[in-house]
Amino acid sequence: MRIDVITLFPDFVRQCSEVGVVGRAQQRGLLQVETWNPRDYATDNYRTVDGRTFGGGPGMVMMIEPLRALFGALREASDEPTHVVYLSPQGARLTQDRVRKLAARPRVALLCGRYEGVDERLLAHEVDEEISVGDYVLSGGELAAAVVIDAVGRLQDGALNDAQSAQQDSFSDGLLDCPHYTRPETDALGTVPPVLLGGDHAAIRRWRRKQSLGRTWLRRPDLLAQCVLDEESRALLDEFRREHFAAQHLEAGTGPQD
Ligand code: 4HQ
């Protein structure tokens, strides 16, 4: 897939996308990230890309004209239609579901705003989808775009090896990830759950599923409420809850009878 990023800071976005799994996906030709700088499409001597906001008040707004010219060039240069995303706190929250849908498209353009954002008329005309990476304010859309590139890039076929498999991720089934451990087996900080050392793969799968369910119940009940659990999952979650309450009573030196 190809991602075009429209940004006043192309070097920053490119550097963000060149590391790790997603950088490797680009080297393998699974993902292509290109940048477009609105400043290159400004027509005055100062290469102006922003103007004062009508109605007064502080802050600048990215102007229509350079972006119109840029989108003209971008669409001219693409053989396929491009799905255009504007990153902003007013957008729909980015979820793994949205990431999957974007990852399935052949071409996506990410429009990064600086200052107070982009003239609304340009957005209405060029943008297909507005996405937010969370309810906080960034100083520009670049970091949000880097988040999208990373999450989408790693889902490209061949980007992850078996060990990294996307199926094991948090959210791949709507649940949080289970805990992970590595050497040493025993440490001053504690011991590894024995089931993980035993080599009983069915028991390990069951334990991991139970932890995923339990952690989602403890930490993100909102996510759990969205899940349809089969009978085995409900049983595992019940088991987790019983163990959780038993451990709590043990800690408090009380029992369910108190
Ligand atoms: N901004 N999710 C304001 C964000 C943001 C977010 C990007 C700041 C756009 C104009 N983008 N500019 N949160 O805070 O995506």
Side-chain angles (χ1 to χ4, degrees), residues 86-89 113-117 131-134 136-141 144:
Y86 178 54
L87 287 317
S88 101
R114 281 273 151 178
Y115 322 111
E116 304 312 302
I131 289 181
S132 166
V133 295
Y136 40 78
V137 183
L138 301 169
S139 56

Side-chain angles (χ1 to χ4, degrees), residues 1-162:
M1 106 178 263
R2 169 166 169 156
I3 303 179
D4 294 290
V5 189
I6 299 133
T7 171
L8 291 166
F9 300 97
D11 296 341
F12 175 58
V13 172
R14 217 169 296 118
Q15 281 179 26
C16 281
S17 73
E18 272 168 9
V19 299
V21 163
V22 174
R24 211 147 42 240
Q26 283 182 80
Q27 286 167 8
R28 290 178 185 158
L30 309 172
L31 175 72
Q32 191 184 351
V33 177
E34 299 296 338
T35 53
W36 302 72
N37 191 338
R39 206 158 302 275
D40 297 337
Y41 296 85
T43 50
D44 65 328
N45 287 332
Y46 302 102
R47 304 220 292 165
T48 307
V49 292
D50 59 331
R52 293 214 304 279
T53 173
F54 276 130
M60 304 293 276
V61 177
M62 288 175 74
M63 300 169 82
I64 293 177
E65 198 43 54
L67 287 171
R68 175 167 35 222
L70 187 157
F71 274 105
L74 191 156
R75 298 207 136 105
E76 187 106 331
S78 9
D79 29 23
E80 290 165 294
T82 299
H83 183 74
V84 179
V85 174
Y86 178 54
L87 287 317
S88 101
Q90 283 75 49
R93 275 288 281 279
L94 186 65
T95 58
Q96 191 61 22
D97 238 17
R98 283 211 173 79
V99 168
R100 271 191 286 262
K101 282 176 186 140
L102 287 175
R105 293 183 180 275
R107 279 193 81 132
V108 169
L110 303 174
L111 173 55
C112 303
R114 281 273 151 178
Y115 322 111
E116 304 312 302
V118 176
D119 189 301
E120 191 66 24
R121 293 166 293 177
L122 187 284
L123 295 178
H125 191 255
E126 299 284 6
V127 171
D128 300 302
E129 187 179 12
E130 205 163 321
I131 289 181
S132 166
V133 295
D135 294 339
Y136 40 78
V137 183
L138 301 169
S139 56
E142 283 76 12
L143 280 172
V147 167
V148 172
I149 294 167
D150 190 274
V152 163
R154 65 189 291 286
L155 288 189
Q156 298 306 302
D157 273 341
L160 297 177
N161 59 39
D162 261 5

